[in-house]
């Protein structure tokens, strides 16, 4: 396979590293650029649909650039049977208009976090306060805090990127 020209729609180190790690693990030759891209959804996505759309919008924003693929990754929350869950989505957009999507880890949030989110809070700052740290979203993420470090944000998003790349590669064979 030729070298893939890729872009990640984020300047967040956890997301950039997730894409690079997934591509390296799969043995792809690639050049990776990163750029901020608007999600087109609320700052704190509050449904599976909104979180997925945010990832798609981010990827599509960069897909017109001079890259083969653009990847958007989005974290959000949603309610299920009275409990709030963390969710994560990714999208891969090609320069010829195809879009692939995949979801990752979903786990329930402690009620004290869910209450703050229901009151209008955003997960990043709420998790910083909960973990008594600064910038949780840039490294271990909520998933890292909630799994006692067994899974971090980069690993979680890297899994999603592998799901996206698998669909992409299958589609170009």
């Amino acid at each position: 396979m030729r070298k893939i020209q890729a872009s990640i729609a984020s300047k967040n180190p956890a997301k950039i590293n997730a894409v690079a790690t997934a591509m390296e693990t799969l043995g792809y030759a690639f050049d990776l650029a990163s750029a901020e891209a608007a999600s087109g959804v609320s700052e704190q996505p509050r449904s599976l649909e909104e979180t997925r759309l945010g990832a798609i919008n981010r990827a599509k924003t960069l897909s017109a650039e001079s890259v083969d693929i653009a990847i958007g990754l989005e974290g959000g929350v949603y309610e299920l049977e009275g409990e709030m869950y963390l969710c994560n989505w990714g999208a891969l957009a090609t320069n010829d208009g195809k879009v692939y999507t995949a979801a990752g880890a979903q786990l329930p949030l402690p009620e004290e976090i869910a209450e703050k989110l229901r009151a209008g809070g955003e997960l990043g700052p709420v998790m910083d306060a909960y973990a008594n740290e600064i910038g949780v979203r840039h490294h271990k993420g909520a998933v890292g805090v909630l799994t006692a470090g067994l899974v971090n944000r980069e690993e979680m998003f890297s899994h999603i990127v592998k799901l996206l790349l698998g669909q992409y590669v299958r589609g170009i064979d």
Side-chain angles (χ1 to χ4, degrees):
M1 176 183 278
R2 66 178 174 73
K3 186 179 253 188
I4 298 171
Q5 301 300 314
S7 186
I8 171 67
S10 180
K11 290 290 190 179
N12 182 312
K15 292 180 179 183
I16 295 167
N17 292 337
V19 174
T21 299
M23 294 182 93
E24 288 167 1
T25 299
L26 297 173
Y28 296 148
F30 65 94
D31 287 323
L32 179 62
S34 64
E36 287 293 342
S39 68
V41 299
S42 60
E43 200 60 35
Q44 177 58 68
R46 295 181 186 279
S47 69
L48 290 169
E49 296 82 4
E50 186 181 18
T51 307
R52 180 177 175 270
L53 180 59
I56 292 169
N57 289 345
R58 288 182 193 279
K60 282 182 163 182
T61 296
L62 297 184
S63 65
E65 295 182 9
S66 59
V67 295
D68 298 310
I69 61 172
I71 296 173
L73 299 170
E74 189 77 24
V77 298
Y78 69 99
E79 295 270 353
L80 178 65
E81 298 175 350
E83 194 163 18
M84 186 172 283
Y85 282 77
L86 173 70
C87 66
N88 300 275
W89 278 89
L92 184 153
T94 65
N95 57 12
D96 64 356
K98 291 184 182 129
V99 176
Y100 303 95
T101 61
Q106 299 178 46
L107 67 158
L109 295 169
E111 188 56 33
E112 71 179 272
I113 293 171
E115 286 174 5
K116 291 180 175 137
L117 295 173
R118 287 183 191 108
E122 184 187 343
L123 188 59
V126 169
M127 289 308 301
D128 284 354
Y130 180 81
N132 198 26
E133 296 180 32
I134 297 173
V136 167
R137 74 174 72 184
H138 297 294
H139 47 95
K140 63 181 149 192
V143 69
V145 173
L146 298 174
T147 63
L150 295 177
V151 177
N152 66 38
R153 193 168 198 221
E154 179 182 327
E155 291 171 304
M156 178 199 58
F157 275 132
S158 184
H159 183 255
I160 294 170
V161 174
K162 288 177 186 177
L163 295 171
L164 296 170
L165 290 169
Q167 294 175 78
Y168 168 70
V169 170
R170 187 194 72 220
I172 61 173
D173 284 345

